[in-house]
Amino acid sequence: MHDDETGQRLALFDPKTRAKAIFLHPGFLGTAPATLVEGATLNTLSTAIEALESPRCDLVSEAMLTQALRLVARHIDRMSPEDVTARERLAVAAVLCGRGTEQSGGGLSSVLAHAIGHRSNVSNGIINAIVLPQTMRFNSPATQYTTGRIADSLWLPLAADSAQRYAMPAVELLERLLAKLDIPRRLRDVGVTGDDLDPIAEAAMQDWFIKRSPRRVTNVADLRGILDAAW
């Protein structure tokens, strides 16, 4: 939802808004604009990773989220309207991610995207992709025992040398995956100015998702450091 006065994206939650059924029709999926598929896929990628970082992620959620990540990693560079099979897989990944995040929810990438959204002309997914590597680095002291499942899910499509498998952190695998796409990688490239960073950090501190971060955010300076790194 958007705040009418500020334009800020608001995170609201009501279980009654869950769909009772979802139908994925190949012909329909083939008509979706490329930018819509790209933004939705990047949002799925970010949300699944943040949920897998969370200590609230249970075994059932982990199963759905890791499969969602595998599907995204294998099809993220095949989003054209002609490749309907890939679009089907990416849509299934989004469904799995939605189900898998019922317990663990979003994290810092989602928080910052909510605060940045009305200052940029790009989709939420693009903003997620820009800030996610930096939020993962911020969280790393608290996620050393959870990021292995993220790395496992991202690994196969990116490298064939199994000897390096456990030597490469999940955030590096993520950056290699994102490098396949022609998308902005810095906040300055999507219209965010240096003067915007303080207001963004202050707005993000008020987002209720911030309490779900694996590493506690203690003050605005923590968020400003992430934003500086992403800018």
Side-chain angles (χ1 to χ4, degrees), residues 120-165:
S120 174
N121 295 321
V122 300
S123 71
N124 218 43
I126 295 289
I127 298 172
N128 288 143
I130 292 173
V131 300
L132 181 61
Q134 306 309 328
T135 62
M136 291 179 71
R137 289 188 171 95
F138 173 82
N139 284 328
S140 59
T143 58
Q144 56 183 317
Y145 300 113
T146 59
T147 53
R149 54 198 179 190
I150 298 171
D152 275 349
S153 302
L154 296 177
W155 174 261
L156 189 58
L158 295 170
D161 185 358
S162 59
Q164 297 179 5
R165 180 169 188 168

mmCIF file of all heavy atoms in Angstrom, residues 120-165:
data_model
loop_
_atom_site.group_PDB
_atom_site.id
_atom_site.type_symbol
_atom_site.label_atom_id
_atom_site.label_comp_id
_atom_site.label_asym_id
_atom_site.label_seq_id
_atom_site.Cartn_x
_atom_site.Cartn_y
_atom_site.Cartn_z
ATOM 1 N N SER A 120 12.241 6.440 -6.285
ATOM 2 C CA SER A 120 12.847 5.831 -7.461
ATOM 3 C C SER A 120 11.771 5.442 -8.466
ATOM 4 O O SER A 120 10.605 5.239 -8.117
ATOM 5 C CB SER A 120 13.652 4.594 -7.041
ATOM 6 O OG SER A 120 14.133 3.900 -8.156
ATOM 7 N N ASN A 121 12.170 5.306 -9.714
ATOM 8 C CA ASN A 121 11.229 4.936 -10.773
ATOM 9 C C ASN A 121 11.282 3.461 -11.123
ATOM 10 O O ASN A 121 10.654 3.038 -12.087
ATOM 11 C CB ASN A 121 11.524 5.750 -12.037
ATOM 12 C CG ASN A 121 11.286 7.237 -11.849
ATOM 13 O OD1 ASN A 121 10.333 7.618 -11.183
ATOM 14 N ND2 ASN A 121 12.137 8.052 -12.424
ATOM 15 N N VAL A 122 12.032 2.675 -10.342
ATOM 16 C CA VAL A 122 12.182 1.257 -10.664
ATOM 17 C C VAL A 122 11.334 0.413 -9.720
ATOM 18 O O VAL A 122 10.830 0.887 -8.705
ATOM 19 C CB VAL A 122 13.661 0.815 -10.602
ATOM 20 C CG1 VAL A 122 14.495 1.600 -11.596
ATOM 21 C CG2 VAL A 122 14.219 0.969 -9.193
ATOM 22 N N SER A 123 11.209 -0.862 -10.059
ATOM 23 C CA SER A 123 10.363 -1.758 -9.280
ATOM 24 C C SER A 123 10.989 -2.078 -7.927
ATOM 25 O O SER A 123 12.193 -1.905 -7.711
ATOM 26 C CB SER A 123 10.144 -3.067 -10.049
ATOM 27 O OG SER A 123 11.344 -3.822 -10.078
ATOM 28 N N ASN A 124 10.150 -2.566 -7.042
ATOM 29 C CA ASN A 124 10.611 -2.993 -5.724
ATOM 30 C C ASN A 124 11.700 -4.056 -5.853
ATOM 31 O O ASN A 124 12.657 -4.083 -5.086
ATOM 32 C CB ASN A 124 9.425 -3.566 -4.941
ATOM 33 C CG ASN A 124 9.468 -3.205 -3.473
ATOM 34 O OD1 ASN A 124 9.773 -2.070 -3.132
ATOM 35 N ND2 ASN A 124 9.186 -4.167 -2.629
ATOM 36 N N GLY A 125 11.545 -4.962 -6.840
ATOM 37 C CA GLY A 125 12.516 -6.037 -7.018
ATOM 38 C C GLY A 125 13.901 -5.518 -7.346
ATOM 39 O O GLY A 125 14.909 -6.056 -6.863
ATOM 40 N N ILE A 126 13.981 -4.480 -8.170
ATOM 41 C CA ILE A 126 15.282 -3.887 -8.510
ATOM 42 C C ILE A 126 15.938 -3.307 -7.260
ATOM 43 O O ILE A 126 17.139 -3.500 -7.014
ATOM 44 C CB ILE A 126 15.118 -2.792 -9.578
ATOM 45 C CG1 ILE A 126 14.627 -3.387 -10.899
ATOM 46 C CG2 ILE A 126 16.423 -2.035 -9.774
ATOM 47 C CD1 ILE A 126 15.632 -4.222 -11.631
ATOM 48 N N ILE A 127 15.159 -2.602 -6.456
ATOM 49 C CA ILE A 127 15.709 -2.031 -5.219
ATOM 50 C C ILE A 127 16.170 -3.146 -4.287
ATOM 51 O O ILE A 127 17.242 -3.058 -3.673
ATOM 52 C CB ILE A 127 14.669 -1.123 -4.540
ATOM 53 C CG1 ILE A 127 14.312 0.047 -5.454
ATOM 54 C CG2 ILE A 127 15.200 -0.606 -3.205
ATOM 55 C CD1 ILE A 127 13.161 0.890 -4.972
ATOM 56 N N ASN A 128 15.377 -4.193 -4.171
ATOM 57 C CA ASN A 128 15.791 -5.346 -3.368
ATOM 58 C C ASN A 128 17.147 -5.863 -3.821
ATOM 59 O O ASN A 128 18.035 -6.150 -3.002
ATOM 60 C CB ASN A 128 14.770 -6.483 -3.494
ATOM 61 C CG ASN A 128 13.472 -6.219 -2.773
ATOM 62 O OD1 ASN A 128 12.408 -6.595 -3.253
ATOM 63 N ND2 ASN A 128 13.531 -5.585 -1.610
ATOM 64 N N ALA A 129 17.311 -6.002 -5.134
ATOM 65 C CA ALA A 129 18.553 -6.556 -5.672
ATOM 66 C C ALA A 129 19.745 -5.649 -5.394
ATOM 67 O O ALA A 129 20.877 -6.129 -5.218
ATOM 68 C CB ALA A 129 18.408 -6.792 -7.181
ATOM 69 N N ILE A 130 19.514 -4.344 -5.355
ATOM 70 C CA ILE A 130 20.612 -3.405 -5.086
ATOM 71 C C ILE A 130 21.060 -3.482 -3.630
ATOM 72 O O ILE A 130 22.262 -3.513 -3.333
ATOM 73 C CB ILE A 130 20.178 -1.969 -5.437
ATOM 74 C CG1 ILE A 130 19.994 -1.825 -6.956
ATOM 75 C CG2 ILE A 130 21.206 -0.954 -4.924
ATOM 76 C CD1 ILE A 130 19.394 -0.490 -7.376
ATOM 77 N N VAL A 131 20.111 -3.519 -2.701
ATOM 78 C CA VAL A 131 20.476 -3.430 -1.285
ATOM 79 C C VAL A 131 20.742 -4.799 -0.649
ATOM 80 O O VAL A 131 21.415 -4.876 0.387
ATOM 81 C CB VAL A 131 19.408 -2.675 -0.468
ATOM 82 C CG1 VAL A 131 19.242 -1.255 -1.000
ATOM 83 C CG2 VAL A 131 18.081 -3.406 -0.467
ATOM 84 N N LEU A 132 20.233 -5.882 -1.244
ATOM 85 C CA LEU A 132 20.348 -7.197 -0.606
ATOM 86 C C LEU A 132 21.774 -7.620 -0.300
ATOM 87 O O LEU A 132 22.044 -8.104 0.812
ATOM 88 C CB LEU A 132 19.639 -8.251 -1.454
ATOM 89 C CG LEU A 132 19.662 -9.683 -0.901
ATOM 90 C CD1 LEU A 132 18.965 -9.767 0.463
ATOM 91 C CD2 LEU A 132 19.006 -10.651 -1.889
ATOM 92 N N PRO A 133 22.736 -7.487 -1.225
ATOM 93 C CA PRO A 133 24.110 -7.891 -0.864
ATOM 94 C C PRO A 133 24.638 -7.158 0.366
ATOM 95 O O PRO A 133 25.359 -7.749 1.192
ATOM 96 C CB PRO A 133 24.916 -7.548 -2.122
ATOM 97 C CG PRO A 133 23.918 -7.615 -3.239
ATOM 98 C CD PRO A 133 22.654 -7.085 -2.647
ATOM 99 N N GLN A 134 24.272 -5.886 0.503
ATOM 100 C CA GLN A 134 24.771 -5.113 1.643
ATOM 101 C C GLN A 134 24.053 -5.497 2.936
ATOM 102 O O GLN A 134 24.676 -5.514 4.011
ATOM 103 C CB GLN A 134 24.616 -3.614 1.368
ATOM 104 C CG GLN A 134 25.244 -3.154 0.066
ATOM 105 C CD GLN A 134 26.687 -3.597 -0.088
ATOM 106 O OE1 GLN A 134 27.429 -3.729 0.888
ATOM 107 N NE2 GLN A 134 27.101 -3.825 -1.322
ATOM 108 N N THR A 135 22.764 -5.810 2.860
ATOM 109 C CA THR A 135 22.079 -6.260 4.080
ATOM 110 C C THR A 135 22.602 -7.628 4.509
ATOM 111 O O THR A 135 22.689 -7.910 5.704
ATOM 112 C CB THR A 135 20.556 -6.320 3.883
ATOM 113 O OG1 THR A 135 20.218 -7.267 2.875
ATOM 114 C CG2 THR A 135 20.005 -4.950 3.517
ATOM 115 N N MET A 136 22.948 -8.474 3.539
ATOM 116 C CA MET A 136 23.533 -9.775 3.885
ATOM 117 C C MET A 136 24.869 -9.607 4.592
ATOM 118 O O MET A 136 25.173 -10.323 5.554
ATOM 119 C CB MET A 136 23.695 -10.637 2.634
ATOM 120 C CG MET A 136 22.379 -11.121 2.031
ATOM 121 S SD MET A 136 22.604 -12.104 0.532
ATOM 122 C CE MET A 136 23.303 -13.632 1.233
ATOM 123 N N ARG A 137 25.664 -8.662 4.128
ATOM 124 C CA ARG A 137 26.958 -8.410 4.789
ATOM 125 C C ARG A 137 26.739 -7.862 6.201
ATOM 126 O O ARG A 137 27.463 -8.232 7.141
ATOM 127 C CB ARG A 137 27.789 -7.443 3.947
ATOM 128 C CG ARG A 137 28.300 -8.068 2.655
ATOM 129 C CD ARG A 137 29.290 -7.157 1.922
ATOM 130 N NE ARG A 137 29.889 -7.883 0.818
ATOM 131 C CZ ARG A 137 29.458 -7.839 -0.437
ATOM 132 N NH1 ARG A 137 28.403 -7.072 -0.740
ATOM 133 N NH2 ARG A 137 30.051 -8.529 -1.376
ATOM 134 N N PHE A 138 25.765 -6.979 6.357
ATOM 135 C CA PHE A 138 25.460 -6.459 7.691
ATOM 136 C C PHE A 138 25.033 -7.587 8.625
ATOM 137 O O PHE A 138 25.444 -7.643 9.797
ATOM 138 C CB PHE A 138 24.361 -5.402 7.593
ATOM 139 C CG PHE A 138 23.865 -4.917 8.931
ATOM 140 C CD1 PHE A 138 24.551 -3.936 9.625
ATOM 141 C CD2 PHE A 138 22.713 -5.456 9.501
ATOM 142 C CE1 PHE A 138 24.115 -3.501 10.873
ATOM 143 C CE2 PHE A 138 22.263 -5.030 10.744
ATOM 144 C CZ PHE A 138 22.965 -4.049 11.432
ATOM 145 N N ASN A 139 24.204 -8.492 8.125
ATOM 146 C CA ASN A 139 23.673 -9.575 8.953
ATOM 147 C C ASN A 139 24.663 -10.701 9.201
ATOM 148 O O ASN A 139 24.408 -11.557 10.061
ATOM 149 C CB ASN A 139 22.423 -10.174 8.282
ATOM 150 C CG ASN A 139 21.198 -9.303 8.441
ATOM 151 O OD1 ASN A 139 21.036 -8.606 9.436
ATOM 152 N ND2 ASN A 139 20.329 -9.331 7.447
ATOM 153 N N SER A 140 25.772 -10.725 8.485
ATOM 154 C CA SER A 140 26.658 -11.895 8.492
ATOM 155 C C SER A 140 27.100 -12.358 9.881
ATOM 156 O O SER A 140 27.217 -13.578 10.103
ATOM 157 C CB SER A 140 27.873 -11.645 7.599
ATOM 158 O OG SER A 140 28.603 -10.515 8.035
ATOM 159 N N PRO A 141 27.329 -11.475 10.862
ATOM 160 C CA PRO A 141 27.695 -11.992 12.185
ATOM 161 C C PRO A 141 26.605 -12.853 12.825
ATOM 162 O O PRO A 141 26.899 -13.683 13.682
ATOM 163 C CB PRO A 141 27.928 -10.711 13.007
ATOM 164 C CG PRO A 141 28.277 -9.663 12.010
ATOM 165 C CD PRO A 141 27.430 -9.992 10.821
ATOM 166 N N ALA A 142 25.356 -12.658 12.385
ATOM 167 C CA ALA A 142 24.235 -13.395 12.983
ATOM 168 C C ALA A 142 23.714 -14.520 12.091
ATOM 169 O O ALA A 142 22.801 -15.248 12.496
ATOM 170 C CB ALA A 142 23.094 -12.437 13.299
ATOM 171 N N THR A 143 24.278 -14.659 10.887
ATOM 172 C CA THR A 143 23.724 -15.639 9.946
ATOM 173 C C THR A 143 24.741 -16.692 9.517
ATOM 174 O O THR A 143 24.529 -17.392 8.527
ATOM 175 C CB THR A 143 23.176 -14.931 8.690
ATOM 176 O OG1 THR A 143 24.232 -14.169 8.078
ATOM 177 C CG2 THR A 143 22.016 -14.018 9.037
ATOM 178 N N GLN A 144 25.815 -16.811 10.254
ATOM 179 C CA GLN A 144 26.861 -17.746 9.831
ATOM 180 C C GLN A 144 26.383 -19.195 9.797
ATOM 181 O O GLN A 144 26.948 -20.024 9.073
ATOM 182 C CB GLN A 144 28.069 -17.622 10.759
ATOM 183 C CG GLN A 144 27.754 -17.818 12.234
ATOM 184 C CD GLN A 144 28.967 -17.612 13.116
ATOM 185 O OE1 GLN A 144 30.053 -18.078 12.798
ATOM 186 N NE2 GLN A 144 28.791 -16.898 14.226
ATOM 187 N N TYR A 145 25.332 -19.507 10.541
ATOM 188 C CA TYR A 145 24.828 -20.885 10.559
ATOM 189 C C TYR A 145 23.604 -21.079 9.655
ATOM 190 O O TYR A 145 23.056 -22.178 9.589
ATOM 191 C CB TYR A 145 24.475 -21.300 11.986
ATOM 192 C CG TYR A 145 25.667 -21.249 12.915
ATOM 193 C CD1 TYR A 145 25.715 -20.319 13.959
ATOM 194 C CD2 TYR A 145 26.757 -22.101 12.746
ATOM 195 C CE1 TYR A 145 26.811 -20.245 14.801
ATOM 196 C CE2 TYR A 145 27.860 -22.035 13.585
ATOM 197 C CZ TYR A 145 27.882 -21.108 14.611
ATOM 198 O OH TYR A 145 28.968 -21.033 15.450
ATOM 199 N N THR A 146 23.163 -20.024 8.996
ATOM 200 C CA THR A 146 21.973 -20.148 8.149
ATOM 201 C C THR A 146 22.252 -19.894 6.669
ATOM 202 O O THR A 146 21.458 -20.317 5.820
ATOM 203 C CB THR A 146 20.864 -19.181 8.600
ATOM 204 O OG1 THR A 146 21.350 -17.831 8.535
ATOM 205 C CG2 THR A 146 20.423 -19.489 10.022
ATOM 206 N N THR A 147 23.351 -19.228 6.337
ATOM 207 C CA THR A 147 23.578 -18.883 4.939
ATOM 208 C C THR A 147 24.072 -20.065 4.110
ATOM 209 O O THR A 147 24.069 -19.994 2.886
ATOM 210 C CB THR A 147 24.574 -17.719 4.796
ATOM 211 O OG1 THR A 147 25.777 -18.032 5.517
ATOM 212 C CG2 THR A 147 23.979 -16.433 5.333
ATOM 213 N N GLY A 148 24.474 -21.159 4.755
ATOM 214 C CA GLY A 148 24.899 -22.329 3.996
ATOM 215 C C GLY A 148 23.790 -22.866 3.109
ATOM 216 O O GLY A 148 24.028 -23.288 1.973
ATOM 217 N N ARG A 149 22.556 -22.821 3.589
ATOM 218 C CA ARG A 149 21.439 -23.326 2.787
ATOM 219 C C ARG A 149 21.149 -22.390 1.611
ATOM 220 O O ARG A 149 20.652 -22.822 0.566
ATOM 221 C CB ARG A 149 20.195 -23.502 3.657
ATOM 222 C CG ARG A 149 19.744 -22.285 4.445
ATOM 223 C CD ARG A 149 18.800 -22.676 5.569
ATOM 224 N NE ARG A 149 18.355 -21.534 6.358
ATOM 225 C CZ ARG A 149 17.694 -21.642 7.505
ATOM 226 N NH1 ARG A 149 17.403 -22.840 7.980
ATOM 227 N NH2 ARG A 149 17.306 -20.574 8.177
ATOM 228 N N ILE A 150 21.471 -21.117 1.753
ATOM 229 C CA ILE A 150 21.333 -20.184 0.641
ATOM 230 C C ILE A 150 22.385 -20.485 -0.420
ATOM 231 O O ILE A 150 22.087 -20.571 -1.614
ATOM 232 C CB ILE A 150 21.465 -18.730 1.130
ATOM 233 C CG1 ILE A 150 20.362 -18.402 2.128
ATOM 234 C CG2 ILE A 150 21.450 -17.753 -0.042
ATOM 235 C CD1 ILE A 150 20.534 -17.071 2.821
ATOM 236 N N ALA A 151 23.623 -20.674 0.017
ATOM 237 C CA ALA A 151 24.706 -20.977 -0.921
ATOM 238 C C ALA A 151 24.436 -22.271 -1.675
ATOM 239 O O ALA A 151 24.656 -22.361 -2.890
ATOM 240 C CB ALA A 151 26.037 -21.061 -0.170
ATOM 241 N N ASP A 152 23.933 -23.284 -0.979
ATOM 242 C CA ASP A 152 23.616 -24.553 -1.636
ATOM 243 C C ASP A 152 22.589 -24.355 -2.749
ATOM 244 O O ASP A 152 22.683 -24.956 -3.817
ATOM 245 C CB ASP A 152 23.066 -25.557 -0.622
ATOM 246 C CG ASP A 152 24.174 -26.312 0.102
ATOM 247 O OD1 ASP A 152 25.339 -26.203 -0.327
ATOM 248 O OD2 ASP A 152 23.867 -26.998 1.090
ATOM 249 N N SER A 153 21.602 -23.527 -2.497
ATOM 250 C CA SER A 153 20.533 -23.323 -3.467
ATOM 251 C C SER A 153 20.991 -22.518 -4.675
ATOM 252 O O SER A 153 20.486 -22.692 -5.782
ATOM 253 C CB SER A 153 19.352 -22.614 -2.811
ATOM 254 O OG SER A 153 18.867 -23.366 -1.716
ATOM 255 N N LEU A 154 21.947 -21.613 -4.478
ATOM 256 C CA LEU A 154 22.420 -20.764 -5.562
ATOM 257 C C LEU A 154 23.579 -21.373 -6.333
ATOM 258 O O LEU A 154 23.923 -20.905 -7.418
ATOM 259 C CB LEU A 154 22.875 -19.403 -5.002
ATOM 260 C CG LEU A 154 21.808 -18.520 -4.355
ATOM 261 C CD1 LEU A 154 22.465 -17.257 -3.813
ATOM 262 C CD2 LEU A 154 20.719 -18.166 -5.345
ATOM 263 N N TRP A 155 24.182 -22.411 -5.809
ATOM 264 C CA TRP A 155 25.462 -22.880 -6.322
ATOM 265 C C TRP A 155 25.410 -23.452 -7.725
ATOM 266 O O TRP A 155 26.126 -23.028 -8.627
ATOM 267 C CB TRP A 155 26.053 -23.934 -5.381
ATOM 268 C CG TRP A 155 27.305 -24.544 -5.937
ATOM 269 C CD1 TRP A 155 27.432 -25.726 -6.584
ATOM 270 C CD2 TRP A 155 28.610 -23.958 -5.937
ATOM 271 N NE1 TRP A 155 28.722 -25.931 -6.974
ATOM 272 C CE2 TRP A 155 29.462 -24.854 -6.588
ATOM 273 C CE3 TRP A 155 29.127 -22.766 -5.452
ATOM 274 C CZ2 TRP A 155 30.827 -24.602 -6.771
ATOM 275 C CZ3 TRP A 155 30.480 -22.509 -5.624
ATOM 276 C CH2 TRP A 155 31.306 -23.415 -6.267
ATOM 277 N N LEU A 156 24.580 -24.456 -7.962
ATOM 278 C CA LEU A 156 24.686 -25.301 -9.147
ATOM 279 C C LEU A 156 24.714 -24.552 -10.475
ATOM 280 O O LEU A 156 25.542 -24.851 -11.334
ATOM 281 C CB LEU A 156 23.573 -26.342 -9.154
ATOM 282 C CG LEU A 156 23.682 -27.433 -10.224
ATOM 283 C CD1 LEU A 156 24.994 -28.188 -10.088
ATOM 284 C CD2 LEU A 156 22.515 -28.399 -10.120
ATOM 285 N N PRO A 157 23.859 -23.560 -10.700
ATOM 286 C CA PRO A 157 23.880 -22.909 -12.013
ATOM 287 C C PRO A 157 25.081 -21.999 -12.231
ATOM 288 O O PRO A 157 25.310 -21.536 -13.335
ATOM 289 C CB PRO A 157 22.594 -22.064 -12.013
ATOM 290 C CG PRO A 157 21.824 -22.502 -10.841
ATOM 291 C CD PRO A 157 22.800 -23.044 -9.858
ATOM 292 N N LEU A 158 25.864 -21.754 -11.189
ATOM 293 C CA LEU A 158 26.890 -20.719 -11.273
ATOM 294 C C LEU A 158 28.304 -21.245 -11.413
ATOM 295 O O LEU A 158 29.178 -20.557 -11.908
ATOM 296 C CB LEU A 158 26.822 -19.821 -10.026
ATOM 297 C CG LEU A 158 25.536 -19.009 -9.912
ATOM 298 C CD1 LEU A 158 25.462 -18.361 -8.551
ATOM 299 C CD2 LEU A 158 25.523 -17.943 -10.992
ATOM 300 N N ALA A 159 28.574 -22.428 -10.968
ATOM 301 C CA ALA A 159 29.945 -22.918 -10.998
ATOM 302 C C ALA A 159 29.964 -24.433 -11.054
ATOM 303 O O ALA A 159 29.089 -25.095 -10.523
ATOM 304 C CB ALA A 159 30.697 -22.430 -9.757
ATOM 305 N N ALA A 160 30.980 -24.951 -11.723
ATOM 306 C CA ALA A 160 31.084 -26.400 -11.875
ATOM 307 C C ALA A 160 32.146 -26.998 -10.963
ATOM 308 O O ALA A 160 32.208 -28.209 -10.787
ATOM 309 C CB ALA A 160 31.408 -26.741 -13.326
ATOM 310 N N ASP A 161 32.997 -26.164 -10.405
ATOM 311 C CA ASP A 161 34.099 -26.654 -9.582
ATOM 312 C C ASP A 161 33.601 -26.890 -8.155
ATOM 313 O O ASP A 161 33.507 -25.971 -7.352
ATOM 314 C CB ASP A 161 35.242 -25.632 -9.586
ATOM 315 C CG ASP A 161 36.466 -26.145 -8.831
ATOM 316 O OD1 ASP A 161 36.402 -27.269 -8.280
ATOM 317 O OD2 ASP A 161 37.471 -25.427 -8.780
ATOM 318 N N SER A 162 33.295 -28.136 -7.831
ATOM 319 C CA SER A 162 32.728 -28.433 -6.513
ATOM 320 C C SER A 162 33.731 -28.197 -5.395
ATOM 321 O O SER A 162 33.341 -28.045 -4.239
ATOM 322 C CB SER A 162 32.236 -29.882 -6.474
ATOM 323 O OG SER A 162 33.305 -30.770 -6.734
ATOM 324 N N ALA A 163 35.016 -28.137 -5.707
ATOM 325 C CA ALA A 163 36.017 -27.902 -4.672
ATOM 326 C C ALA A 163 35.867 -26.512 -4.057
ATOM 327 O O ALA A 163 36.267 -26.272 -2.927
ATOM 328 C CB ALA A 163 37.418 -28.063 -5.250
ATOM 329 N N GLN A 164 35.274 -25.579 -4.832
ATOM 330 C CA GLN A 164 35.098 -24.215 -4.326
ATOM 331 C C GLN A 164 33.750 -24.021 -3.642
ATOM 332 O O GLN A 164 33.461 -22.958 -3.122
ATOM 333 C CB GLN A 164 35.191 -23.216 -5.479
ATOM 334 C CG GLN A 164 36.537 -23.193 -6.179
ATOM 335 C CD GLN A 164 36.534 -22.195 -7.317
ATOM 336 O OE1 GLN A 164 35.578 -21.473 -7.522
ATOM 337 N NE2 GLN A 164 37.618 -22.157 -8.054
ATOM 338 N N ARG A 165 32.942 -25.046 -3.636
ATOM 339 C CA ARG A 165 31.539 -24.885 -3.248
ATOM 340 C C ARG A 165 31.365 -24.233 -1.886
ATOM 341 O O ARG A 165 30.604 -23.288 -1.735
ATOM 342 C CB ARG A 165 30.850 -26.241 -3.257
ATOM 343 C CG ARG A 165 29.382 -26.164 -2.862
ATOM 344 C CD ARG A 165 28.700 -27.478 -3.141
ATOM 345 N NE ARG A 165 27.255 -27.361 -2.955
ATOM 346 C CZ ARG A 165 26.388 -28.272 -3.336
ATOM 347 N NH1 ARG A 165 26.808 -29.351 -3.936
ATOM 348 N NH2 ARG A 165 25.100 -28.112 -3.129
#
